[in-house]
C-alpha cells in the first residue's frame, strides 16, 4: 500500500470519526456521563426523523464504497443502518434505542478495523 493511499484512508477515517461524533455523541446529557448526537435528536421526530438519520448514515456507506472495502463489510454497515432505522421507529423505546445503538460510530469502527487488517 502506497503512502498516498494510506494518507487518503486516514483522511477518510478522520472525517468519519468527526461525522460519527456529531451524529452519535456530540451532546452530553446534563448530570450524566451519557452523550447523544444529532441522530438521536432528529430521531425524536416520528418516522421523518428516523428517515433523515438513515439518509445521513448513508455517508458512511458511500465512503466505504470509495475506499473499496469488501461487500461483507458494506453489508454489515447496511445491517447496522437498518437496525438503527427500524429500532428508532418504535415509539419512545426507539428513541432510547437510537441514543444507545450509535450506528455511525459502530460503522466507522468497523471500517477502521477492516483497513487496519488490510496492511
Amino acid at each position: 500500500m502506497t503512502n498516498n493511499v494510506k494518507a487518503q484512508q486516514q483522511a477518510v477515517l478522520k472525517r468519519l470519526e468527526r461525522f460519527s461524533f456529531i451524529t452519535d455523541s456530540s451532546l452530553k446529557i446534563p448530570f450524566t456521563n451519557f452523550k447523544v448526537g444529532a441522530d438521536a435528536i432528529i430521531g425524536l421526530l416520528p418516522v421523518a426523523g428516523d428517515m433523515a438519520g438513515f439518509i445521513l448514515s448513508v455517508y458512511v456507506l458511500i465512503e466505504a464504497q470509495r475506499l473499496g472495502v469488501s461487500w461483507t463489510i458494506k453489508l454489515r454497515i447496511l445491517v447496522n443502518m437498518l437496525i438503527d432505522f427500524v429500532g428508532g421507529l418504535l415509539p419512545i423505546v426507539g428513541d432510547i434505542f437510537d441514543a444507545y445503538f450509535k450506528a455511525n460510530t459502530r460503522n466507522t469502527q468497523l471500517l477502521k478495523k477492516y483497513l487496519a487488517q488490510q496492511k
Side-chain angles (χ1 to χ4, degrees):
M1 182 179 326
T2 67
N3 285 340
N4 189 30
V5 171
K6 191 173 181 180
Q8 287 175 336
Q9 289 177 347
Q10 291 303 315
V12 168
L13 288 175
K14 189 171 185 169
R15 284 194 308 270
L16 288 176
E17 286 170 348
R18 180 76 178 140
F19 172 77
S20 296
F21 174 76
I22 291 167
T23 58
D24 292 341
S25 304
S26 57
L27 304 169
K28 184 176 182 205
I29 296 177
F31 310 109
T32 72
N33 288 327
F34 192 74
K35 295 179 180 181
V36 297
D39 185 45
I41 302 300
I42 62 174
L44 293 172
L45 295 170
V47 184
D50 296 305
M51 184 60 99
F54 183 82
I55 291 168
L56 285 172
S57 294
V58 169
Y59 172 62
V60 181
L61 188 60
I62 290 168
E63 289 290 8
Q65 176 66 28
R66 287 182 185 157
L67 289 171
V69 302
S70 71
W71 279 103
T72 305
I73 299 299
K74 289 186 276 193
L75 184 59
R76 287 179 63 191
I77 289 170
L78 187 57
V79 166
N80 284 339
M81 290 168 55
L82 289 171
I83 289 170
D84 187 52
F85 175 70
V86 173
L89 289 175
L90 302 168
I92 301 169
V93 175
D95 297 322
I96 295 167
F97 173 80
D98 221 8
Y100 277 95
F101 190 69
K102 302 183 188 297
N104 295 319
T105 299
R106 286 175 188 261
N107 289 336
T108 298
Q109 291 302 316
L110 189 63
L111 280 175
K112 195 177 205 178
K113 184 178 174 183
Y114 172 83
L115 292 173
Q117 291 172 347
Q118 300 306 306
K119 293 181 180 178

